[in-house]
Amino acid sequence: AQSVTQPDIHITVSEGASLELRCNYSYGATPYLFWYVQSPGQGLQLLLKYFSGDTLVQGIKGFEAEFKRSQSSFNLRKPSVHWSDAAEYFCAVGAGGSQGNLIFGKGTKLSVKP
Amino acid sequence: DGGITQSPKYLFRKEGQNVTLSCEQNLNHDAMYWYRQDPGQGLRLIYYSQIVNDFQKGDIAEGYSVSREKKESFPLTVTSAQKNPTAFYLCASSNDLLTASNQPQHFGDGTRLSIL
């Protein structure tokens, strides 16, 4: 069965520092991968997605993610974090078949120190 | 602007009461989903619908019911059989029926349900 693991529950970084959020997936075929961001009390906003092709994908708000098939990973990165990036981040994989839903990780909460 | 509207934003349920959460989309999407979010649990799928008048149970459907009478609407009823309904409920939709797995989902802003 498909699954997504986000090993870090909570990460704190200083403003201006670089960021990497980890995501590992379990999926038999080529996965469809997504990163979403959620501000408190809000819905989820899509940051970026990977379907095929270039393994480094660019998203909104200066985020990027790299798909590494050999490591079953899809880590999210940002070179310089802003205070407004504080939120919860979710990695997801397409469930495949006719079901069509996404399988989500449990999320990583990002705090940003001034 | 196109999007997904969930209402109400906050909802309170008394013991033994059924409550219905509304989800409306004007994106002309075929597929719609309901997720439950608990702290530290991520999102868990309750029900999904890929076409009008058809819906399927997700991973945690017990104590919930849905209907899909119109393409743009997918209401969720939390029944009295759901013993722990306090959570944040998110509705989502995606575009393509046949390739829904590779379509990003668009989310509403959620409904927070609490028990009185």
Side-chain angles (χ1 to χ4, degrees), chain A residues 36 38 43 51 96 98-100, chain B residues 33 37 48 50 101-102 105 108:
Chain A
Y36 285 86
Q38 184 182 35
F51 293 160
S98 61
Q99 186 169 348
Chain B
Y33 313 85
Q37 186 177 22
Y48 65 101
Q50 294 180 318
S101 282
N102 66 6
Q105 290 183 9

Side-chain angles (χ1 to χ4, degrees), chain A:
Chain A
Q2 301 92 339
S3 66
V4 176
T5 301
Q6 294 180 246
D8 304 305
I9 296 173
H10 190 187
I11 285 182
T12 300
V13 300
S14 297
E15 190 168 17
S18 64
L19 171 71
E20 183 169 31
L21 301 182
R22 296 183 291 164
C23 173
N24 294 99
Y25 66 89
S26 172
Y27 191 74
T30 300
Y32 301 115
L33 295 161
F34 307 84
W35 273 101
Y36 285 86
V37 61
Q38 184 182 35
S39 297
Q42 300 294 315
L44 276 67
Q45 180 183 22
L46 180 69
L47 284 176
L48 48 79
K49 59 184 184 285
Y50 171 79
F51 293 160
S52 64
D54 193 346
T55 57
L56 184 64
V57 293
Q58 303 296 321
I60 63 171
K61 304 185 180 187
F63 286 93
E64 66 179 25
E66 186 171 13
F67 170 60
K68 293 185 177 180
R69 184 187 300 276
S70 61
Q71 298 177 20
S72 297
S73 69
F74 188 55
N75 294 349
L76 182 71
R77 302 194 294 245
K78 187 170 185 178
S80 178
V81 170
H82 188 262
W83 65 266
S84 61
D85 294 323
E88 191 155 20
Y89 292 80
F90 292 92
C91 182
V93 62
S98 61
Q99 186 169 348
N101 65 296
L102 301 181
I103 307 296
F104 285 86
K106 294 186 177 182
T108 297
K109 184 176 180 180
L110 173 66
S111 297
V112 180
K113 293 188 300 185

